[in-house]
Amino acid sequence: MKILKSMALAIFSLTATFSFAQKNDLGAWYMYFGNNKISKKLNFHNEIQYRNFDGIGDLEQLLIRTGIGYDLTENNNNVLLGYGFILSQPYVNGEKKENIEHRIFQQYITKQKFGRFYLQHRYRLEERFLADDFRMRFRYMLGVNIPINNKEMLPKTFYGSVYNEIFLNLNSPTFDRNRVYGALGYVINKNMRIEAGYMNQIQENKNRGQIQIGFYNNIPFTKD
């Protein structure tokens, strides 16, 4: 409990510090990810991301995703069909506008382990339905988790987490963005963990940093 309290205090301090950062210079994303077994092969994906232009309070985007996945092999090689609802509030000429996007996506995740290195490859295809446009986009993410105080990702383990994700449009321009991420995480128990880190998002004419705080829940809905 002392470790959890210390990490919660560190996260709170990060949030408070970046709340005073200059507007639009550094954003903050608060994220929940659920990946819950509903049978031996099937899983229910559920996700909420609350993204801010600043530390807290100035909404940039609210993203809700859900989907049903199927394991091709035991606890690995997962294919998933999902839906996303995205509410964006960008600034246009100094004023906030509201945009809504509906998104269908298909993805494939495969995992590998080399010594202490836990690798994950994610391939995702998105069909994006905007108010006056339709777009398709491909994403590839390579992520690595490395336990620090244990050799395995066991309860009460601190770990480092890094990933790189590239986004490519199927129409012009091809390059959409690239995300580079690094974080410190803590495994609470076999079904829950938390991370706090920094992500740099590179676009064609923009480069912006984001503080990210994420909670991961893998509590199964079935005992099978």
Side-chain angles (χ1 to χ4, degrees):
M1 289 299 295
K2 288 184 178 179
I3 293 176
L4 282 177
K5 288 180 180 178
S6 298
M7 196 157 187
L9 179 61
I11 290 172
F12 176 79
S13 299
L14 270 173
T15 304
T17 299
F18 292 108
S19 292
F20 293 99
Q22 185 178 351
K23 196 178 188 73
N24 291 341
D25 281 351
L26 185 67
W29 293 7
Y30 305 98
M31 307 175 296
Y32 164 84
F33 298 96
N35 184 34
N36 310 102
K37 285 279 190 181
I38 54 179
S39 73
K40 186 175 181 179
K41 290 283 190 178
L42 294 173
N43 66 287
F44 169 55
H45 177 79
N46 47 102
E47 171 186 346
I48 300 174
Q49 296 191 35
Y50 182 79
R51 302 172 174 178
N52 283 275
F53 283 107
D54 53 10
I56 193 167
D58 190 1
L59 178 66
E60 178 181 10
Q61 193 174 74
L62 175 65
L63 186 150
I64 300 171
R65 261 193 291 250
T66 188
I68 297 293
Y70 179 83
D71 286 344
L72 300 177
T73 59
E74 187 173 358
N75 297 319
N76 198 2
N77 295 313
N78 184 267
V79 292
L80 183 141
L81 175 64
Y83 164 78
F85 171 84
I86 299 93
L87 169 66
S88 301
Q89 294 185 350
Y91 282 97
V92 180
N93 298 323
E95 295 185 2
K96 269 202 166 188
K97 303 293 183 181
E98 183 171 292
N99 299 319
I100 292 177
E101 176 184 344
H102 299 278
R103 189 180 298 173
I104 298 172
F105 66 97
Q106 304 82 40
Q107 74 178 28
Y108 170 65
I109 292 178
T110 183
K111 301 175 185 177
Q112 301 166 313
K113 184 176 183 294
F114 299 99
R116 298 169 76 104
F117 294 82
Y118 290 76
L119 274 68
Q120 176 175 290
H121 304 265
R122 187 181 73 193
Y123 308 84
R124 178 180 288 175
L125 180 66
E126 299 175 327
E127 294 83 41
R128 307 174 61 200
F129 298 86
L130 298 96
D132 55 357
D133 198 6
F134 171 76
R135 304 174 190 172
M136 293 185 68
R137 184 168 66 184
F138 173 75
R139 301 165 56 168
Y140 168 69
M141 184 189 79
L142 172 62
V144 184
N145 288 339
I146 309 167
I148 298 171
N149 58 317
N150 286 306
K151 293 183 179 180
E152 307 284 339
M153 292 283 285
L154 302 171
K156 300 182 180 180
T157 297
F158 285 96
Y159 65 94
S161 180
V162 295
Y163 76 67
N164 187 85
E165 183 173 20
I166 188 168
F167 296 62
L168 301 174
N169 294 311
L170 271 65
N171 53 328
S172 182
T174 301
F175 176 77
D176 185 80
R177 67 194 65 198
N178 190 78
R179 292 176 179 171
V180 181
Y181 171 80
L184 176 66
Y186 181 72
V187 181
I188 301 170
N189 56 45
K190 66 178 183 178
N191 293 314
M192 291 187 289
R193 57 188 173 92
I194 54 176
E195 285 183 12
Y198 174 83
M199 184 270 289
N200 187 41
Q201 180 164 253
I202 303 166
Q203 296 174 268
E204 187 175 0
N205 299 311
K206 192 189 307 182
N207 185 350
R208 187 158 180 261
Q210 313 281 355
I211 296 301
Q212 294 195 345
I213 297 172
F215 176 76
Y216 297 80
N217 162 33
N218 296 322
I219 298 174
F221 293 162
T222 177
K223 295 181 180 180
D224 295 336

